[in-house]
Every structure is written in structure tokens, then in C-alpha cells.
Amino acid sequence: MSEFKDLLFNVLIVLLPIFLFQSLWAEKSTQWSRSRHRAVISLFSILSLLLVMTVPVRLVPGFLFDLRLVPMVIGILYGGYRGGAVLVAAFFLYRFAIGGVGALYMSLTFPLMFLPAFLLIPYFPRYARRTKVLVAMGLALLELVILVVVALWQMHDQMQIPPLSNPLMPFFLCLTAITLLCLFIAVYLLESTREKEVMRYQMHRNAKWQGIGELTASMAHELRNPLTVVRGFLQLLQRDGVDPQKRETFLKMGIEELDRSESIIRNYLSYAKPQFERMEAVDVCERITHVTGIISPFATLRGVMIDTVCEHNLSTMADPEQLSQVLMNLLKNGIEAMPDGGTVTVRAYKRSRQLIIEIADCGVGMTPDELTKLGNPFFTTKESGTGLGLMVCYQIIHSINGRIDVQSEKGKGTQFTLLLPAL
Ligand code: ADP
Ligand code: MG
């Protein structure tokens, strides 16, 4: 019975690193380079491999049984050539250090599995999840069959035990089943985490592009005004005998209008361009001014004023573009909450070691039930809403160790409060 207990302990050792990986790095790992990803998986696999080999099940003198195939297959298929090679080297070195007759058999049988595994490395990342599970289990099964046949034949040779009535048969079957099950769980978990992270990343981008689409419409509208004004001035200047003083004023006003259009476009582009996360000390007031600048055409179009009160020298560690995205989403929601126009108030100040940014509107507000759903993906009460904006806001603020509080009353208005660590 104790061999089954040892086997269960093995299960814990091979699955623990994967759970650890999931809970610690799953979120960050989508931003890792491929080689870093591979290196981390290899490292985990090698550690887990050495650990399972340290606590094996000893049934026949000289032979060790354990779940080594799980970290081996994962380490090679996910770790790539380099990670796989290090893993194989570590395995052989450690196995020979432990010693016993098994070491010799193993050095003959394992290459039979390593070879196809290495050949599959370039194709593996492209397989669908189900194929990946099957490939991993197939490789393990191949090696298990070889190992069991060798063990049965050995015992037949040395102890005259007929292979088919070998008393260890139930154990071998159990070992095979548990190895395959563990591999199934491991590949399944690794793949579903990856898929979930990729989906979340795409949602992030969708939420932004949806916002951009709506802003573009209002921006185009806003640009038309200065262009019409400039056209008017040019027409006036075309006439003969314009008073030089008037001429001067027309030119000055025309240039101002063009500058304004240029700044609308510049702001908009800086919001729309693709961004990569870079943490730095961000001047919060400067961000607020930047974002209110971009969104003001949208606000004007809906008859909403944006009132900003901002203390000086407020800075926090964040990605400036992501912080803009949060402010933009909250302001946009505030503006959209007031179909008949009104004022959105933005206040930023410092209280002890926290930066507080309040964004308040006097719009439609929310019921307690709606409040609890806030930030859930796809929760929206708008006809053309996506319900992704706030989800992304929560995620970004959470990633810089901040918090979002919401107070809202149906029919009265809503206040979003961002609490960020001050620098
Ligand atoms: P979307 O704006 O696309 O609907 P969000 O995630 O930005 O998605 O917002 C989700 C929902 O939260 C909105 O549909 C709305 O019902 C509610 N909400 C968000 N901000 C406000 C606000 N300032 N006032 C009232 N309701 C709001
Ligand atoms: Mg929104």
C-alpha cells in the first residue's frame, strides 16, 4: 500500500509547480518573450523532475518508479531544444548518481522517447489544445510501455516470474494511468491559462478600439469647425483692399485655429497608437489635462462641460498610456451618463500617502444591483456599449496597486474615486 502513497506524493510534486505557475505568473506571462517563457517552464520542469526522482517508489531493488515522465514530456515539448537538452542532461546525471541496475536500462530506453519528443518541438506550439494533450500523453505512453515491458522481462529473467501473472502488474497499470492523468491535467491547465490570457489581452485591445471609434467621430466633427473658420479667413484675405490691421488679425486667428486642429489630431494619435507597458513616474495632472483635451470634442458634442481642479505635484508609478486609458474610460462613461448635458467634475489631490482622483457626474446613476455588476466583462446598459471599459480600468488600477471606489445613486449621479499610491 505504501507504494501508492508514494505515488500520490509524486502526483503532488509534479502538479504543484504548475499550480504555482498559474497563480503567480499566469497574468504576467503573456508579456514575456517566448524564450523567457520556455526558460521558466524548463526550470520548473527540471526542479520537479529532480524532486520526483528523489522520492521514488522502490519496488524492485535497483529500479525506481515515479512520475518523472510528466515533467520530462512537459519540459521538452514546452521548453524547446535548449530547455529540453538541459533537462535530459540533468536527468541522466542525476539518475547515474543515484545508481542501481535501472540506470543502465533507462539510458537505453529513454532515448526512444526523447527522440520523437525532440522531433515534435517545432510543431508542438501550433497544435490545438486537444492535439497537444494527445501528443504529450502518447509520448508518455510509448515510454511507459517500453519501461513496463523491460521490467517484466527482467523479472522473468532473474526471478522466473511469468510476465502476465506478475504481482506488480496492478502497480504498473496504476502508474501508467496516473502518469497519463497528470499529463492530461498539466497540459490542459497550461493551455487553458494561455488561452484565457490571450483572450483577456484581446479584450483589452477591443475596449480601446471601441473607444477610439467613437472618439474619431467626434474628432472629425470638431475638426470641421476650425477648417471652416480658416477657409472663411482665406476667402476674406483673397479680396482686394483688406485693411492691413484686419489682415493681421485674420492671419493670427487662422493660425490659432490650425494649431488647435493640429493639437486635436496629435492628442488623438497619441491615444490611438499601440502601446507597450512601461512603468514610470507619471504626473497625474498632466495626464488629466491630456485626456480632457482629447475627450473635449466628444463632451462638447453632448453638451457636457468638464471641470478640472487639480493640485500640483501629484505623481504615481504607472504606465502613462494606461492611466490615460482609465481616465478616458471613466470620463467617457460620465459624459454618456448625462444625455441632456451637464458637468463632469474631475478633482485630483493628495491625502496622506494616497493620490485621489475623483470623477463625478450628475447623470443617470446606478441601482445597487447595477453597482455590484460593475467591472464584470460585458456588463453594459448601453445600446452600443461593450461593457469592457470598466473591466479594463479595474485591471489596470489593480496592477499599479490602486483601488477604485464607486458611489452612485439612481437618477442623481455617480462618483468614481481612484486611490493610487503617491510617490
Ligand atoms: P460601456 O460603457 O461600454 O457600457 P463600461 O464597462 O464602461 O462599458 O460600463 C459598464 C456599465 O456601467 C455601463 O453600461 C453603465 O451601465 C454603467 N456605468 C459606468 N459608468 C457609469 C456612470 N458614470 N453613470 C452611470 N452608469 C455607469
Ligand atoms: Mg464605457
Side-chain angles (χ1 to χ4, degrees):
M1 209 53 219
S2 81
E3 60 262 25
F4 289 101
K5 233 194 278 171
D6 289 346
L7 211 52
L8 281 181
F9 188 49
N10 260 234
V11 172
L12 185 72
I13 296 175
V14 293
L15 290 184
L16 199 65
I18 292 178
F19 287 127
L20 241 138
F21 181 78
Q22 303 255 97
S23 49
L24 293 182
W25 291 302
E27 209 168 300
K28 289 197 189 119
S29 64
T30 37
Q31 286 152 18
W32 289 354
S33 66
R34 187 156 174 183
S35 55
R36 185 163 172 199
H37 214 273
R38 289 185 151 178
V40 172
I41 293 204
S42 306
L43 191 74
F44 267 88
S45 307
I46 293 171
L47 288 179
S48 153
L49 175 66
L50 298 182
L51 247 138
V52 279
M53 288 170 67
T54 311
V55 286
V57 188
R58 292 171 196 272
L59 285 175
V60 191
F63 284 90
L64 312 175
F65 296 99
D66 51 49
L67 294 181
R68 67 182 69 170
L69 276 166
V70 179
M72 258 180 197
V73 170
I74 298 278
I76 297 175
L77 291 179
Y78 283 93
Y81 292 118
R82 214 180 309 161
V86 178
L87 182 133
V88 171
F91 165 65
F92 279 122
L93 282 176
Y94 194 54
R95 186 62 189 87
F96 276 103
I98 298 173
V101 274
L104 191 67
Y105 286 108
M106 169 227 71
S107 61
L108 296 175
T109 62
F110 270 86
L112 294 176
M113 187 276 285
F114 289 149
L115 199 68
F118 272 86
L119 288 178
L120 282 168
I121 288 176
Y123 309 103
F124 188 74
R126 278 180 261 147
Y127 292 153
R129 187 200 311 194
R130 221 165 78 201
T131 322
K132 284 184 177 171
V133 172
L134 289 178
V135 164
M137 285 168 67
L139 284 171
L141 189 63
L142 169 74
E143 181 60 27
L144 279 164
V145 169
I146 299 172
L147 285 178
V148 170
V149 167
V150 169
L152 290 177
W153 168 69
Q154 262 293 304
M155 283 186 244
H156 175 65
D157 227 32
Q158 292 171 1
M159 301 171 238
Q160 267 69 50
I161 305 172
L164 286 182
S165 51
N166 191 306
L168 289 184
M169 210 56 175
F171 175 77
F172 288 148
L173 286 178
C174 193
L175 180 73
T176 308
I178 293 184
T179 302
L180 294 183
L181 186 70
C182 284
L183 259 177
F184 174 82
I185 296 176
V187 176
Y188 198 85
L189 280 181
L190 282 171
E191 289 304 312
S192 59
T193 316
R194 201 183 56 85
E195 280 166 21
K196 228 168 29 205
E197 288 309 316
V198 168
M199 205 168 92
R200 201 151 70 162
Y201 179 72
Q202 282 170 346
M203 269 190 185
H204 226 119
R205 293 188 34 160
N206 282 351
K208 192 174 150 186
W209 287 112
Q210 183 243 358
I212 285 175
E214 287 169 23
L215 290 179
T216 316
S218 54
M219 185 189 82
H221 179 89
E222 191 74 350
L223 280 180
R224 208 176 292 141
N225 291 340
L227 289 181
T228 320
V229 173
V230 172
R231 189 174 189 283
F233 285 146
L234 288 178
Q235 262 178 335
L236 285 175
L237 290 173
Q238 214 179 15
R239 288 187 197 152
D240 293 332
V242 182
D243 175 6
Q245 208 184 338
K246 266 194 183 155
R247 191 188 173 87
E248 189 71 14
T249 323
F250 288 163
L251 280 175
K252 197 166 150 269
M253 286 168 81
I255 290 172
E256 272 170 14
E257 286 297 294
L258 285 179
D259 283 346
R260 203 163 67 81
S261 347
E262 199 265 343
S263 92
I264 293 175
I265 295 174
R266 184 160 29 89
N267 280 334
Y268 174 79
L269 285 182
S270 76
Y271 176 67
K273 72 171 184 255
Q275 300 128 19
F276 303 98
E277 202 173 330
R278 60 188 161 101
M279 297 295 262
E280 56 184 55
V282 182
D283 182 341
V284 170
C285 288
E286 189 260 332
R287 277 297 108 183
I288 292 177
T289 318
H290 172 78
V291 170
T292 43
I294 303 174
I295 204 152
S296 67
F298 184 73
T300 320
L301 200 64
R302 290 167 180 250
V304 174
M305 291 247 305
I306 301 177
D307 200 7
T308 312
V309 188
C310 198
E311 268 180 22
H312 287 295
N313 293 329
L314 301 178
S315 50
T316 186
M317 262 331 239
D319 177 329
E321 297 301 337
Q322 289 197 337
L323 190 62
S324 301
Q325 197 177 345
V326 171
L327 294 170
M328 179 75 81
N329 282 332
L330 295 181
L331 275 172
K332 197 160 154 284
N333 281 344
I335 295 167
E336 285 167 344
M338 297 188 290
D340 304 322
T343 307
V344 175
T345 318
V346 185
R347 259 169 30 100
Y349 54 93
K350 194 169 170 178
R351 196 200 292 147
S352 59
R353 306 184 120 228
Q354 275 189 319
L355 288 191
I356 320 262
I357 307 174
E358 294 169 354
I359 297 176
D361 62 66
C362 35
V364 293
M366 281 175 275
T367 61
D369 182 47
E370 285 171 344
L371 267 174
T372 59
K373 293 189 190 135
L374 228 48
N376 287 353
F378 308 119
F379 165 66
T380 179
T381 52
K382 298 169 195 167
E383 212 151 276
S384 61
T386 55
L388 292 176
L390 283 179
M391 181 199 73
V392 171
C393 291
Y394 277 97
Q395 210 178 320
I396 292 174
I397 294 301
H398 180 74
S399 77
I400 55 173
N401 300 321
R403 206 177 78 207
I404 300 186
D405 283 347
V406 194
Q407 284 171 321
S408 184
E409 206 174 320
K410 192 77 193 164
K412 291 244 170 89
T414 307
Q415 174 169 324
F416 278 86
T417 311
L418 302 182
L419 299 109
L420 307 174
L423 269 192

